[in-house]
């Protein structure tokens, strides 16, 4: 497969002055086994303790993910997912990895400089400019009810292969990338045998972090929803006035469960002596959004009380918007605690698609003005925000606007 890519940085200030910088072309080439290549570029903004990482992510289905059926329709019908480079991968662990460069010593933090906030390495004191990509592996995973679903399989006990991960990260490093974004599976991460996490799954993630550390690559760990197993699903159902993903962000038992999940997650990695300092940020939720066709946003009358204790009038358009904005801020405040209790120095983020990325028929909405603002003005405690732009449907400058 031949693909031509260019890196792209987007800078914004609170005055909404934006500059798009198109970097030098990565080039056109045929990707070889293990060469995972997407474009995700991040730069800091002059916000006080607030950053946008603008992720322009193009999934190249030639190496990061590869399947044997000839089309997407065949893929989902056949349900067979085979990594193209599996024949080149053998069982290994991070202990056998050799790397001639420097390992990822020192934690990446945020500091204020004359130009504004800046990522920096706490050991060397040098400025850190993230440049990286998503690394995705998918497979048919068995769910708790005996069915099968395609899901993120990178750390799945059946599918994890340290040698494949090492090959992919080595290829990324050789191309100048220093950050990789990986997804936690809601299907595999919970224990099948009782309450808590799947220890084998966590062991694989810990091993991946050690590989990344030795290759001097920082990791963004991305959560999505709650594990289907392990006792993390709330036993108290949401009220009849809350449905679907809206209830996930507005119903306190869901929020408490998510906070407990991320706290358990970091605690287990710490117990396994995983190098938490190699984690650039914990993404609490991938592309967080509400839907306007589910309650309470589908309601046009009545009063609704959400998890932060505030009451909103559903007949009032401003209140309907505030439910989303203030609901996201409260959710981020609560769930961030689960991370900070275990690793106080950790950076915490959430990711969103831009409002312009969905068309008029799409029920998903993401009003992010408050959650991406500083706490001093009613915003959230997030350290950075990851905005996903989807080139092709609209100009990036318009999306940022």
């Amino acid at each position: 497969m031949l693909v031509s890519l260019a890196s792209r940085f987007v800078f914004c200030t609170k005055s909404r002055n934006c500059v798009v910088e198109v970097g030098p072309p990565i080039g056109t080439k045929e990707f070889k086994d293990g060469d995972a290549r997407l474009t995700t570029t991040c730069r800091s903004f002059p916000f006080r303790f607030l950053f946008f990482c603008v992720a322009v992510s193009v999934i190249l289905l030639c190496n990061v993910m590869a399947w044997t059926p000839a089309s997407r329709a065949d893929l989902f019908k056949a349900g067979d997912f085979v990594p193209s480079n599996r024949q080149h991968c053998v069982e290994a662990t991070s202990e056998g990895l050799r790397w001639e460069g420097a390992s990822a010593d020192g934690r990446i933090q945020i500091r204020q400089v004359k130009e504004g906030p800046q990522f920096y390495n706490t050991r060397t004191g040098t400025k850190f400019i993230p440049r990286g990509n998503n690394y995705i592996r998918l497979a048919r995973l068995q769910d708790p009810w005996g069915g099968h679903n395609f899901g993120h399989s990178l750390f799945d006990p059946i599918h994890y292969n340290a040698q494949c991960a090492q090959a992919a990260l080595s290829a990324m490093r050789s191309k100048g990338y220093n950050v990789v974004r990986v997804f936690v599976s809601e299907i595999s991460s919970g224990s099948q045998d009782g309450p808590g996490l799947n220890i084998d799954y966590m062991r694989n993630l810990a091993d991946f972090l050690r590989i990344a550390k030795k290759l001097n690559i920082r990791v963004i760990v991305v959560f999505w929803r709650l594990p289907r197993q392990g006792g993390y699903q709330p036993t108290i159902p949401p009220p009849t006035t809350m449905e679907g993903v809206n209830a996930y962000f507005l119903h306190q038992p869901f929020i408490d469960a998510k906070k407990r999940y991320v706290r358990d997650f970091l605690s287990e990695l710490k117990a396994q002596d995983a190098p938490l300092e190699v984690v650039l940020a914990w993404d609490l939720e991938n592309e967080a959004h509400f839907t306007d066709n589910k309650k309470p946003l589908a309601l046009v009358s009545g009063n609704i009380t959400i998890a932060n204790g505030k009451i909103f009038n559903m007949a009032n358009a401003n209140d309907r918007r505030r439910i989303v904005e203030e609901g996201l801020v409260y959710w981020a405040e609560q769930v961030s605690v689960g991370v900070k209790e275990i690793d106080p120095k950790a950076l915490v983020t959430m990711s969103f698609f831009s409002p312009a990325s969905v068309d008029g028929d799409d029920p998903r909405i993401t009003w992010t003005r408050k959650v991406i603002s500083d706490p001093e003005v009613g915003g959230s405690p997030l350290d950075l925000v990851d905005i996903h732009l989807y080139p092709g449907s609209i100009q990036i400058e318009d999306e940022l606007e």
Side-chain angles (χ1 to χ4, degrees):
M1 180 177 182
L2 297 175
V3 181
S4 179
L5 298 176
S7 59
R8 174 169 285 175
F9 300 133
V10 183
F11 308 85
C12 286
T13 67
K14 275 192 173 177
S15 61
R16 299 164 72 186
N17 296 320
C18 300
V19 177
V20 177
E21 174 186 331
V22 179
I26 296 175
T28 302
K29 61 168 293 201
E30 183 174 357
F31 292 156
K32 296 181 173 59
D33 291 327
D35 187 0
R37 190 77 91 74
L38 298 84
T39 57
T40 300
T41 51
C42 306
R43 290 296 296 269
S44 59
F45 291 37
F47 283 77
R48 184 172 181 266
F49 302 118
L50 176 67
F51 289 75
F52 283 95
C53 288
V54 179
V56 184
S57 300
V58 182
I59 300 176
L60 306 181
L61 300 176
C62 56
N63 269 294
V64 182
M65 303 183 291
W67 56 75
T68 51
S71 68
R72 287 177 180 263
D74 290 337
L75 166 65
F76 288 98
K77 180 172 62 177
D80 191 14
F81 200 89
V82 181
S84 62
N85 59 353
R86 177 167 292 177
Q87 64 271 28
H88 301 293
C89 297
V90 296
E91 293 302 322
T93 67
S94 59
E95 294 178 359
L97 176 62
R98 294 183 179 180
W99 170 248
E100 295 180 357
S103 63
D105 294 327
R107 186 185 288 265
I108 303 302
Q109 291 282 279
I110 298 169
R111 65 185 174 190
Q112 286 287 332
V113 296
K114 182 178 180 181
E115 295 79 10
Q118 180 185 89
F119 289 112
Y120 77 104
N121 186 304
T122 56
R123 186 182 67 84
T124 65
T126 56
K127 179 180 178 181
F128 180 80
I129 301 176
R131 181 173 186 265
N133 55 264
N134 290 320
Y135 178 41
I136 297 172
R137 309 294 288 189
L138 297 179
R140 271 174 64 95
L141 305 175
Q142 184 171 343
D143 64 32
W145 303 279
H148 289 81
N149 289 284
F150 278 99
H152 290 281
S153 62
L154 179 57
F155 310 117
D156 183 82
I158 295 176
H159 298 276
Y160 179 69
N161 190 306
Q163 189 67 21
C164 290
Q166 174 186 330
L169 294 182
S170 296
M172 295 176 204
R173 187 65 205 180
S174 70
K175 303 300 187 296
Y177 292 134
N178 58 10
V179 176
V180 65
R181 188 170 180 263
V182 296
F183 293 78
V184 176
S185 169
E186 82 283 6
I187 301 174
S188 304
S189 58
S191 172
Q192 300 178 7
D193 304 318
L197 297 167
N198 184 330
I199 300 304
D200 291 333
Y201 186 95
M202 300 303 296
R203 186 178 295 116
N204 293 337
L205 177 52
D207 184 69
F208 182 89
L209 293 179
R210 294 185 191 102
I211 293 174
K213 179 179 174 65
K214 291 186 178 183
L215 290 171
N216 197 13
I217 291 182
R218 307 291 170 162
V219 182
I220 298 175
V221 179
V222 185
F223 295 103
W224 190 79
R225 303 295 193 266
L226 292 166
R228 300 183 185 181
Q229 303 175 97
Y232 290 101
Q233 294 292 328
T235 57
I236 302 175
T240 57
T241 53
M242 294 182 186
E243 297 175 324
V245 67
N246 298 345
Y248 172 72
F249 287 108
L250 299 176
H251 185 44
Q252 188 66 49
F254 277 109
I255 299 171
D256 292 340
K258 183 75 174 201
K259 179 167 63 176
R260 178 167 64 90
Y261 170 42
V262 299
R263 182 175 58 232
D264 289 355
F265 202 91
L266 270 73
S267 294
E268 180 56 36
L269 287 175
K270 191 173 182 179
Q272 296 198 22
D273 200 28
L276 296 183
E277 69 277 5
V278 80
V279 177
L280 175 62
W282 300 93
D283 188 338
L284 303 180
E285 188 71 18
N286 182 58
E287 297 195 342
H289 65 274
F290 287 67
T291 58
D292 61 13
N293 61 350
K294 298 291 184 181
K295 298 176 183 177
L297 298 181
L299 300 174
V300 293
S301 64
N303 292 330
I304 297 296
T305 303
I306 67 172
N308 66 1
K310 295 185 179 180
I311 301 174
F312 299 90
N313 179 6
M314 299 311 296
N316 184 294
N318 184 57
D319 273 18
R320 294 161 62 83
R321 185 181 187 96
R322 286 176 57 209
I323 283 180
V324 176
E325 293 183 335
E326 296 185 24
L328 282 173
V329 169
Y330 179 78
W331 191 94
E333 288 173 346
Q334 293 289 301
V335 179
S336 294
V337 171
V339 173
K340 300 289 188 177
E341 284 180 351
I342 307 303
D343 190 357
K345 295 182 180 179
L347 299 182
V348 178
T349 183
M350 290 175 67
S351 56
F352 305 91
F353 50 78
S354 74
S357 298
V358 294
D359 59 33
D361 296 328
D362 195 319
R364 296 175 299 167
I365 55 176
T366 176
W367 292 325
T368 58
R369 189 171 302 275
K370 278 190 174 293
V371 77
I372 67 177
S373 299
D374 292 332
E376 293 85 351
V377 292
S380 76
L382 298 177
D383 298 292
L384 57 104
V385 180
D386 180 1
I387 303 297
H388 296 179
L389 306 182
Y390 291 88
S393 60
I394 192 171
Q395 293 294 320
I396 285 183
E397 293 88 343
D398 295 334
E399 287 208 80
L400 288 171
E401 183 70 19

